[in-house]
Amino acid sequence: MAYKNYILVCGGTGCESSRGDEIFRTLIKEAELQGVKNDVQVVKTGCFGFCEKGPIVKVLPQESFYVEVKPEDAKEIIAEQVIKGREVKRLLYKKDQASSDKVKIEDIDFYQKQFRVVLRNCGVINPENIDEYIAREGYTGLERALFKFSPDEVVEELKKSGLRGRGGAGFPTWLKWDLTRKAPGDVKYVVCNADEGDPGAYMNRSTIEGDPHSIVESMIICGRTIGAHEGYIYIRAEYPLAIERLKIAIRQAREYGLLGKDILGSGYDFDLDIRLGAGAFVCGEETALLQSLEGKRGMPVPKPPFPAIKGLWQKPTVINNVETFANISVIMAKGAEWFAKIGTEKSKGTKTFALTGKINNSGLVEVPMGTTLREIVFDIGGGIRNGKKFKGVQTGGPSGGIITEESLDQPITYESLTALGSMMGSGGMIIMDEDDCVVDIAKFYMAFCVDESCGKCAPCRIGTKQMHDILEKISNGNGVEEDLAKLEKIGKAMTKASLCMLGGSAANPTLSTIKHFREDYMEHIRDHKCRAGKCKSLVVYEIDAAKCIGCGICARRCPVPCITGEKKQPHVIDRARCIKCGECFTACKFGAVVKK
Amino acid sequence: MPVQEIQFTKELIAYIDEWKSKPGSLIMMLHRIQEEFSYIPREAAERLARIVGMPLAKIYGVITFYHYFKTTKPGKNRLAICLGTACYLRGGQDLIDESESILNVKGEEVTDDGQFSIDAVRCLGCCGLAPVLMIGNDVYGKVTKDQLPEIIAKYRKA
Ligand SMILES: Cc1cc2nc3c(=O)[nH]c(=O)nc-3n(C[C@H](O)[C@H](O)[C@H](O)COP(=O)(O)O)c2cc1C
Ligand code: SF4
Ligand code: SF4
Ligand code: FES
Ligand code: FES
């Protein structure tokens, strides 16, 4: 039965957590109450990407794109749109406050430069319903891999597509599969790396939440190609919604004969199981992940042998990232040529990024490789919040580096980001503005690495701690110029001598910030000053007598208290007693309290 | 001397029975135990060691390696405050400092009445709402220090 309207409610984590589920349930309830239950179908989808403006609700066929929806709006959506056929204007996305014009979805700045391959089904289908996935060419790639292509030809197809791993290193996917396929042994495994440990990245999570079958399908294709009969999805325990949706997808795939014995009558057997991570960043590293899958402490082991030769339980194993897998099903369905047209010469296809930090439109974006950072930050991301000045963008999380203004026009490829001293990483993209302090950020990432170092090798275990202590010293105003050279020396040693890339890249955020913002470091060291006011020990609060109207709010809020002044007269802070809590700074409505 | 065994529910025992023969399933069983008790009590680890016939030291080696597993009982309400990069940049640390001062606890301590504890977590996956605080299944986005007393009060039982 066709419905008059379809209402798509975002079921991504961002929207769910701002009452998305309540909106979903209220819409269903209202449709019933208002007697139009049979005219409308309410569907919960994966993330639309535009999380900044969530919760998002989209109504078809009018393509109404509603933003910042509340459960209280459900009644009106049903009454107006479903019953009377009129859009709820006040909820529509608008370019700015003043305009009242409806903006077509494809014209929204945020979506204009995006191109969705990996996220093709997110925000479009109900991820808990396999039929909706199948209706959008789902499992046709598997069909071709089972009946049309030999394993050789699948590898050849992947080679033609140019797909490279999206988990960070960019290793050619076809080669990995081919090595594993040719490795001796009867028992082989397929593993999906869904550990996504970069703090501030959630592309893999959204992909699974929005389109779990794309992973399931691709893993079966992989199993068939390399000759494996078992696969594991290793996923963070902190992702309950994604885990739930994977479980549902696996169950449905079994019911449809897509998993289990004799898949679609092809004679090929394959099954999948989910295993939970337990909050250790290093377990994203493939050898550590395999240790963890075996139920052990997740410590990396030296390579070679590579997992392709000796992986899970010493058997040949393909381990790929979630996004890598999400590309496979669509490559197999649409063909390598289609895919190879997207992107650049050496970096094919698209890349998803979690765009966050001081950006107007934070959210999940997917762009063709070769798009420039400027396009992402300013066109898609809508520029910096509150009209502040752009300082830098960090890609690759704790393993990456900062990229500055002058490099914003570089097209994004694996090679260009590495050349800039950063890396593709999994896709966290953190935007920083003039209020962020690079010393503070370097310290933040280093503290993360100190916490996450598994401790197996000395360069990483000791080096991260030493670098962190020096950064702390600088941020407290006790640094000396030689500290910068020391940081660089330890950093280089760590990069060379660490067993795995956690230690091998832990110095990147520090080294790249020193390279690009040496003067900021020097200000901390020489002038004992933190321009951004982030390094607490260096901040001095003062009241600007010219701006102070003597309202006394600051004095009342100060917990010490150390602010004095007559009513309607400029107030003063007693620096010696000030504990630098910043209360007065937040409290003053006239901008009279300043950080120095 | 007879040992007083820690109580395992029927479901938990069934789960362990199902998983114990699968290879590499220790972490899955520990997850299930933590789900049951909100942490992994020593007696539970001991009992698991007996059931699966694994040295306790090995089990503890695994428990202590992973941040997710807790060996002490957290507060009834866990304030999970995000310290992922986006939240850190938008003031997550201030939320932790303020919550510690409101609840008068430090680090992983639990309030005297057992009601609250604070957990610094990494990226809850809704960075658009940074800084983010999560209590149970309730998520609070764009939280400011000023809102904390009111939010915490909601969970304080009279
Ligand atoms: C410290 C560290 C953390 C990593 N974390 C992840 C991760 O969270 N997800 C991921 O897919 N790959 C991660 N990797 C990369 C994996 O080791 C591996 O290269 C990847 O899973 C291979 O998949 P791909 O070829 O599809 O990219 C990490 C590597 C290191 C050194
Ligand atoms: S580099 Fe660090 S995380 Fe990697 S093995 Fe060595 S100590 Fe462990
Ligand atoms: S920063 Fe805090 S202690 Fe210092 S003057 Fe302002 S309110 Fe008082
Ligand atoms: S979670 Fe709804 S748009 Fe991203
Ligand atoms: S960094 Fe806090 S939700 Fe992502």
Side-chain angles (χ1 to χ4, degrees):
Chain A
M1 182 175 60
Y3 294 94
K4 206 167 114 195
N5 288 105
Y6 292 86
I7 305 184
L8 310 177
V9 182
C10 178
T13 298
C15 293
E16 281 271 287
S17 55
S18 28
R19 301 170 77 194
D21 186 56
E22 205 179 329
I23 297 171
F24 175 73
R25 282 181 286 118
T26 317
L27 280 165
I28 294 178
K29 198 180 85 201
E30 280 297 332
E32 241 175 65
L33 282 176
Q34 301 186 32
V36 288
K37 193 170 77 180
N38 296 328
D39 290 340
V40 55
Q41 189 177 33
V42 187
V43 179
K44 206 193 260 183
T45 70
C47 173
F48 280 83
F50 210 179
C51 316
E52 180 75 38
K53 293 269 183 278
I56 308 275
V57 171
K58 183 172 159 184
V59 186
L60 301 176
Q62 291 89 346
E63 300 259 327
S64 321
F65 194 78
Y66 296 146
V67 294
E68 293 172 343
V69 179
K70 295 191 182 61
E72 298 83 75
D73 300 324
K75 192 171 177 174
E76 196 175 338
I77 295 178
I78 300 291
E80 284 294 308
Q81 191 147 15
V82 179
I83 297 182
K84 299 191 190 129
R86 292 196 298 236
E87 292 186 306
V88 184
K89 286 233 167 64
R90 68 182 174 86
L91 295 175
L92 284 171
Y93 171 80
K94 296 178 199 80
K95 246 196 161 67
D96 49 67
Q97 296 285 310
S99 87
S100 58
D101 300 341
K102 172 174 173 179
V103 187
K104 283 214 237 93
I105 296 177
E106 57 276 21
D107 293 339
I108 296 177
D109 292 339
F110 179 75
Y111 288 112
Q112 263 193 352
K113 296 208 162 157
Q114 294 202 46
F115 187 76
R116 293 186 142 206
V117 174
V118 172
L119 302 173
R120 60 196 178 275
N121 288 325
C122 289
V124 179
I125 65 167
N126 173 359
E128 300 186 3
N129 184 343
I130 188 171
D131 291 326
E132 298 201 11
Y133 178 70
I134 291 173
R136 303 211 357 125
E137 290 193 316
Y139 289 105
T140 53
L142 173 65
E143 227 180 304
R144 298 178 77 199
L146 286 175
F147 302 110
K148 249 188 103 196
F149 286 71
S150 67
D152 271 326
E153 287 167 332
V154 173
V155 170
E156 197 48 41
E157 193 73 2
L158 282 185
K159 189 174 178 179
K160 270 195 279 173
S161 77
L163 178 65
R164 297 167 64 179
R166 301 294 197 240
F171 192 79
T173 307
W174 73 270
L175 186 55
K176 193 180 266 191
W177 287 27
D178 204 39
L179 289 170
T180 317
R181 192 168 67 97
K182 292 181 176 151
D186 296 335
V187 180
K188 297 179 183 180
Y189 295 101
V190 181
V191 174
C192 175
N193 186 345
D195 200 40
E196 196 162 44
D198 171 0
Y202 59 101
M203 308 74 48
N204 289 173
R205 166 194 206 141
S206 300
T207 308
I208 296 176
E209 284 175 0
D211 198 16
H213 283 286
S214 68
I215 308 301
V216 173
E217 177 181 359
S218 303
M219 290 183 74
I220 310 171
I221 296 175
C222 179
R224 153 81 177 176
T225 308
I226 65 165
H229 299 285
E230 268 176 83
Y232 293 97
I233 302 170
Y234 184 91
I235 182 168
R236 293 181 65 184
E238 293 90 338
Y239 285 2
L241 187 60
I243 296 168
E244 192 49 39
R245 295 209 169 131
L246 271 176
K247 282 188 184 159
I248 295 171
I250 291 175
R251 199 183 62 227
Q252 290 176 342
R254 284 199 191 118
E255 283 165 16
Y256 276 54
L258 295 159
L259 276 177
K261 295 250 173 274
D262 189 19
I263 293 170
L264 299 177
S266 65
Y268 171 62
D269 308 337
F270 185 79
D271 216 338
L272 274 180
D273 219 344
I274 297 171
R275 291 296 155 89
L276 305 186
F281 174 62
V282 72
C283 286
E285 196 282 330
E286 53 193 17
T287 61
L289 186 150
L290 295 175
Q291 293 288 308
S292 181
L293 264 181
E294 293 178 11
K296 299 189 251 181
R297 292 162 71 95
M299 291 202 189
V301 290
K303 293 187 273 194
F306 288 91
I309 310 298
K310 279 198 171 141
L312 189 59
W313 291 298
Q314 301 297 307
K315 307 289 183 206
T317 303
V318 159
I319 170 162
N320 274 134
N321 168 260
V322 169
E323 188 174 333
T324 313
F325 276 124
N327 275 301
I328 303 227
S329 39
V330 66
I331 290 173
M332 288 309 295
K334 290 190 192 291
E337 270 160 35
W338 168 82
F339 187 83
K341 280 194 198 121
I342 312 162
T344 69
E345 175 72 34
K346 286 200 184 139
S347 302
K348 297 286 183 204
T350 60
K351 182 75 196 83
T352 61
F353 292 100
L355 190 58
T356 62
K358 306 293 179 60
I359 185 97
N360 274 318
N361 302 333
S362 56
L364 186 67
V365 310
E366 179 173 356
V367 291
M369 295 274 191
T371 304
T372 66
L373 281 162
R374 189 181 301 283
E375 288 172 298
I376 297 185
V377 176
F378 290 94
D379 298 343
I380 296 172
I384 311 304
R385 267 169 189 253
N386 306 322
K388 297 271 181 177
K389 216 169 137 258
F390 172 82
K391 176 140 194 167
V393 41
Q394 173 94 9
T395 64
S399 312
I402 197 164
I403 296 172
T404 51
E405 176 82 38
E406 68 265 18
S407 307
L408 279 183
D409 292 310
Q410 285 279 335
I412 298 174
T413 63
Y414 289 100
E415 286 74 22
S416 70
L417 291 183
T418 309
L420 290 172
S422 184
M423 63 185 249
M424 183 74 82
S426 53
M429 193 175 267
I430 316 268
I431 312 300
M432 297 163 206
D433 70 11
E434 55 190 313
D435 291 345
D436 292 315
C437 164
V438 289
V439 178
D440 183 58
I441 287 159
K443 199 177 82 176
F444 167 79
Y445 281 123
M446 197 53 76
F448 178 87
C449 293
V450 171
D451 264 4
E452 296 297 341
S453 166
C454 80
K456 184 167 177 169
C457 64
C460 166
R461 185 181 65 239
I462 301 170
T464 50
K465 182 78 177 66
Q466 283 179 340
M467 285 185 76
H468 181 261
D469 289 349
I470 297 175
L471 287 166
E472 180 122 307
K473 199 172 122 199
I474 296 175
S475 123
N476 285 338
N478 301 321
V480 288
E481 192 167 352
E482 293 77 71
D483 284 336
L484 295 183
K486 247 193 230 164
L487 284 173
E488 284 169 332
K489 197 167 149 225
I490 303 171
K492 282 189 188 131
M494 249 163 69
T495 307
K496 256 210 219 120
S498 294
L499 174 60
C500 85
M501 281 310 283
L502 190 154
S505 56
N508 284 355
T510 308
L511 298 182
S512 83
T513 44
I514 293 181
K515 179 168 163 219
H516 291 293
F517 296 102
R518 199 179 183 90
E519 188 47 32
D520 289 29
Y521 277 87
M522 284 313 292
E523 271 181 12
H524 285 72
I525 293 170
R526 188 185 54 220
D527 314 332
H528 307 287
K529 190 175 150 190
C530 173
R531 208 193 305 204
K534 283 278 152 119
C535 296
K536 285 233 163 83
S537 341
L538 297 184
V539 179
V540 179
Y541 287 95
E542 252 175 27
I543 293 174
D544 180 349
K547 281 191 184 155
C548 176
I549 62 151
C551 71
I553 280 252
C554 57
R556 285 197 294 279
R557 289 283 291 276
C558 177
V560 177
C562 63
I563 305 181
T564 47
E566 294 296 314
K567 239 195 170 137
K568 298 199 176 153
Q569 295 299 316
H571 282 43
V572 273
I573 295 174
D574 177 357
R575 264 198 212 174
R577 283 163 55 220
C578 170
I579 56 163
K580 306 180 180 181
C581 67
E583 284 293 335
C584 52
F585 181 78
T586 339
C588 182
K589 301 259 183 309
F590 306 95
V593 181
V594 286
K595 283 196 231 183
K596 281 249 167 93
Chain B
M1 195 174 62
V3 214
Q4 179 68 43
E5 278 227 322
I6 187 168
Q7 203 61 41
F8 277 8
T9 57
K10 260 211 311 271
E11 293 79 19
L12 177 57
I13 291 173
Y15 187 92
I16 295 174
D17 273 341
E18 184 199 332
W19 280 83
K20 70 179 179 206
S21 58
K22 296 191 192 178
S25 56
L26 174 61
I27 293 171
M28 295 303 278
M29 294 187 285
L30 291 173
H31 271 297
R32 188 65 183 77
I33 290 174
Q34 177 151 309
E35 197 182 312
E36 192 100 1
F37 297 99
S38 76
Y39 70 114
I40 300 178
R42 184 168 176 95
E43 302 77 44
E46 285 169 358
R47 182 163 176 190
L48 182 69
R50 281 196 296 277
I51 300 177
V52 300
M54 198 184 273
L56 186 63
K58 182 163 180 229
I59 295 183
Y60 262 88
V62 170
I63 294 175
T64 51
F65 182 82
Y66 294 98
H67 301 298
Y68 195 82
F69 296 133
K70 305 263 173 263
T71 50
T72 53
K73 195 176 171 63
K76 232 193 182 127
N77 301 293
R78 284 174 52 204
L79 272 64
I81 300 177
C82 183
L83 269 195
T85 319
C87 290
Y88 181 77
L89 288 182
R90 290 199 204 164
Q93 186 62 49
D94 291 344
L95 295 185
I96 292 195
D97 296 346
E98 185 75 7
S99 306
E100 286 187 340
S101 107
I102 294 173
L103 295 172
N104 197 17
V105 291
K106 268 262 167 274
E108 298 199 342
E109 286 170 9
V110 180
T111 51
D112 292 338
D113 58 4
Q115 284 288 329
F116 295 97
S117 60
I118 301 170
D119 229 347
V121 298
R122 278 165 190 153
C123 196
L124 291 161
C126 35
C127 318
L129 305 176
V132 181
L133 155 69
M134 194 169 162
I135 307 179
N137 285 324
D138 304 334
V139 178
Y140 298 88
K142 303 190 178 166
V143 180
T144 61
K145 282 198 286 183
D146 300 347
Q147 295 169 340
L148 283 173
E150 201 182 316
I151 295 175
I152 291 173
K154 272 207 269 184
Y155 295 84
R156 208 180 287 261
K157 295 273 152 27

